[in-house]
């Protein structure tokens, strides 16, 4: 069972920003370059310049660099393995809280230097709402090129890098790196447009929120066919942008559904929304991915303010009070360290569980495809057998199944599916066709459309039985015990309703209030929580419906399209 992590670390709407990359320099040089960039940033912000030499200071020294603004500095040995770390933390007052920026460099003996940059808005009290997501810090944009930042073999740059045909093999090696931590986001260029113009006008703006969170590429016209031929199950083309998550399996057809595609249409129609959507999963991954061992071995920060001179006549602090304060601080530090170690352990377990879930979903999708192919082969061979020796020689169930097969075959696109919705007499589509047609731009191949068609076939057969009192349950139960001769649909993809989180959120619930005839509801809308999962993964497309077989004798399909807003898509 997946364990709970605090909401600010698991929620895709988490406000914090986190960058974790490897430096191309040794520890001393990395710290010096990072300090140089940090001092420049503080100077531009109007703060006092801190000392450049921190040697000889006690652990966790604190400088006052502005009105209610502090800089904490500490360094020392790593806890677990041999190595060293250096850390800087800036705390600034902002409306309703504090803006905290923490820069950490950790280097194990014999290993690379790791850089972690966290920026977050800490509310002044538990009930105070923060101002939203922390934007990409200017500090991140300045550090990446200066430190030759990398994620394994992939360079992490502050803007998308053009890729030509000669560089495709290198990019594919980076995609398939089993130790990859960051998503790789790859943009394609429309065939009739200039690559440089498309990148400047369309791609750079929508990928600007991903600096430090992902490796960014743009395939030029020469690279696109080479890339798509090599990754036939994970293509990107036509101006779309695809996010390739870690643990990519290039040989698995079903794995493609786990690497989301952003259509050219959304990029052009609403670039601001497109940029926000593209940043969701990289932000979530940055929060929940386990830290590299070196960064996990950095002790939690304990701050000691530098001693200030005592004013004339003022009594020095009592020694007993100071000792009690130190003891309380030590206990608080121990508790925070226990919490940090537990969070790292949970992150590791969550990563393992998510990757196992993805592998099982991919395997299940492939098994379902194999089942469909086997059934198709049964139908073909049944036809041949009947043609050769007559109907008596064939299995009755196979003959019944063959008789139900549409002669025109299964649609390979949603355009084809939408054009044939009138073939289902007990189903009525009440939604917007444009949402369904937009799925053809997602580069998912025919799999989604075929799975949606299978769902419609199963819904139609269930509705026929339900109207006549022969269904003996709801649609999910029908899928779990599909009668012989009827079209199967995976039970795990038939969902009875939305979670309490969705139904208690007024905005998300409103999205699922979908059109129905006034004979069903006088308002012309009804909540459609029941849905079919079209494809694998938590954010794959959905088909939402209302089962009114016991009332008007029909099933109303109010939506076919990309996943509506929930905790994983918002």
């Amino acid at each position: 069972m997946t364990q709970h992590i605090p909401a600010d670390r698991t929620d895709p709407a988490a406000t914090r920003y986190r960058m974790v990359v490897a430096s191309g320099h040794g520890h001393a040089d990395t710290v010096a370059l990072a300090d140089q960039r940090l001092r420049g940033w503080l100077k531009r912000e109007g703060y006092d310049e801190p000392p450049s030499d921190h040697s000889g200071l006690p652990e966790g020294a604190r400088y006052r660099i502005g009105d209610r603004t502090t800089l904490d500095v500490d360094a020392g040995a790593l806890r677990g393995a041999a190595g060293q770390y250096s850390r800087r933390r800036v705390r600034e007052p902002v409306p309703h809280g504090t803006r905290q920026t923490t820069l950490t460099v950790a280097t194990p003996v014999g290993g690379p230097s790791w850089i972690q940059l966290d920026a977050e808005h800490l509310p002044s009290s538990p009930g105070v709402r923060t101002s939203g997501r922390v934007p990409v810090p200017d500090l991140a944009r300045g550090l990446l090129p200066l430190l030759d930042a990398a994620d394994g073999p992939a360079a992490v740059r502050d803007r998308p890098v053009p890729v030509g045909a000669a560089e495709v093999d290198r990019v594919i090696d980076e995609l398939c790196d089993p130790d990859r931590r960051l998503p790789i986001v790859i943009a394609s260029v429309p065939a009739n447009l200039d690559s440089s113009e498309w990148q400047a006008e369309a791609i750079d703006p929508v990928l600007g929120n991903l600096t430090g969170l992902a490796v960014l590429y743009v395939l030029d016209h020469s690279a696109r066919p080479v890339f798509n031929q090599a990754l036939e199950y994970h293509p990107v083309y036509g101006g779309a942008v695809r996010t390739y998550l870690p643990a990519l399996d290039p040989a698995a057809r079903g794995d493609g559904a786990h690497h989301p595609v952003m259509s050219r249409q959304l990029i052009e129609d609403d670039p601001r929304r497109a940029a926000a959507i593209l940043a969701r999963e990289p932000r979530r991954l940055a929060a929940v991915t386990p830290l590299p061992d070196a960064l996990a071995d950095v002790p939690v920060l304990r701050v000691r303010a530098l001693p200030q001179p005592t004013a004339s006549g003022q009594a020095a602090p009592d020694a007993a009070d100071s000792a009690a304060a130190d003891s309380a601080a030590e206990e608080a530090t121990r508790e925070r360290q226990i919490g940090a170690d537990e969070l790292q352990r949970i992150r590791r377990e969550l990563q393992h569980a998510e990757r196992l879930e993805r592998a099982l979903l991919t395997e299940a999708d492939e098994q379902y495809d194999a089942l469909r192919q086997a059934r198709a082969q049964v139908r073909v061979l049944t036809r041949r057998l009947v043609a050769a020796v007559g109907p008596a020689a064939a299995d009755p169930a196979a003959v019944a199944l063959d008789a139900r097969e549409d002669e025109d075959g299964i649609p390979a696109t949603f355009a084809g599916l939408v054009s044939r919705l009138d073939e289902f007499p007990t189903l009525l589509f009440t939604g917007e066709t444009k949402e369904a047609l937009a799925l053809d731009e997602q580069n998912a191949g025919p799999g989604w459309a075929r799975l949606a068609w299978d769902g419609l076939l199963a819904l139609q057969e269930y509705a026929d039985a339900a109207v006549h009192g022969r269904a003996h349950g709801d649609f999910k139960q029908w899928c779990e015990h599909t009668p012989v001769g009827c079209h199967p649909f995976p039970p795990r993809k038939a969902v009875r309703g939305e979670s309490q989180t969705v139904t208690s959120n007024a905005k998300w619930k409103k999205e699922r209030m979908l059109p129905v005839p006034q004979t069903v509801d006088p308002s012309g809308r009804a909540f459609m929580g029941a849905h079919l999962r079209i494809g694998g993964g938590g954010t794959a497309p959905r088909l939402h419906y209302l089962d009114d077989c016991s009332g008007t004798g029909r099933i109303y399909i109010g939506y076919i399209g990309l996943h509506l807003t929930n905790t994983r898509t918002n």
Side-chain angles (χ1 to χ4, degrees), residues 28-40 42 48-57 61 63 65 71 73-75 86-88 306:
D29 288 343
T30 298
V31 172
L33 291 169
D35 274 344
Q36 172 190 327
R37 190 62 67 182
L38 178 63
R39 286 195 298 272
L42 292 174
D48 298 338
E49 186 172 352
S52 57
D53 183 9
H54 307 291
S55 59
L57 293 176
Y63 300 96
I65 58 175
L71 168 66
V73 178
D74 78 325
S86 186
R87 176 169 44 204
R88 316 287 185 253
L306 293 178

Side-chain angles (χ1 to χ4, degrees), residues 7-243:
D8 66 327
R9 296 190 181 260
T10 57
D11 189 347
T15 61
R16 74 180 61 213
Y17 169 91
R18 167 167 289 177
M19 177 183 81
V20 176
V21 293
S23 170
H25 304 271
H27 184 81
D29 288 343
T30 298
V31 172
L33 291 169
D35 274 344
Q36 172 190 327
R37 190 62 67 182
L38 178 63
R39 286 195 298 272
W41 172 63
L42 292 174
K43 185 176 181 179
R44 288 193 300 274
E45 293 292 315
Y47 296 125
D48 298 338
E49 186 172 352
S52 57
D53 183 9
H54 307 291
S55 59
L57 293 176
E59 177 187 350
R62 169 167 288 178
Y63 300 96
R64 188 184 184 92
I65 58 175
D67 183 26
R68 295 185 297 152
T69 301
T70 59
L71 168 66
D72 300 320
V73 178
D74 78 325
L78 298 178
R79 294 180 302 133
Q84 55 188 322
Y85 76 93
S86 186
R87 176 169 44 204
R88 316 287 185 253
R89 186 178 73 178
V90 178
R91 296 173 66 110
E92 313 163 82
V94 294
H96 311 299
T98 300
R99 181 167 60 201
Q100 178 172 284
T101 304
T102 308
L103 177 63
T104 307
V105 178
T107 310
V109 173
S113 293
W114 287 95
I115 305 103
Q116 177 180 345
L117 176 64
D118 287 309
E120 52 196 318
H121 187 153
L122 307 177
S124 55
S125 62
V128 174
R129 293 176 63 90
T130 60
S131 57
R133 287 181 179 174
V134 175
V136 176
D138 289 340
L139 189 57
R141 302 185 193 279
L143 283 171
L144 289 175
L146 188 67
L147 297 176
D148 298 324
D151 177 39
V156 184
R157 298 291 179 250
D158 57 336
R159 56 178 52 86
V161 176
V163 174
E167 296 143 330
V168 166
D169 285 346
R170 172 181 59 79
V171 172
I172 291 176
D173 287 343
E174 294 170 5
L175 285 167
C176 299
D177 177 15
D179 298 321
R180 175 160 66 94
R181 293 175 47 84
L182 299 183
I184 296 180
V185 179
I186 299 182
S188 61
V189 180
N192 60 335
L193 297 182
D194 177 76
S195 296
S196 299
E197 292 181 5
W198 177 251
Q199 178 172 344
E201 296 173 6
I203 298 305
D204 286 349
V206 299
L207 299 190
N209 292 341
L210 294 175
T211 302
L213 300 172
V215 177
L216 309 174
Y217 290 125
V218 179
L219 297 177
D220 68 16
H221 293 304
S222 67
R224 177 183 51 77
V226 180
F227 180 88
N228 289 336
Q229 183 177 9
L231 288 180
E232 60 176 324
Y233 302 140
H234 305 74
V236 60
Y237 51 83
V241 174
R242 189 159 198 167
T243 301

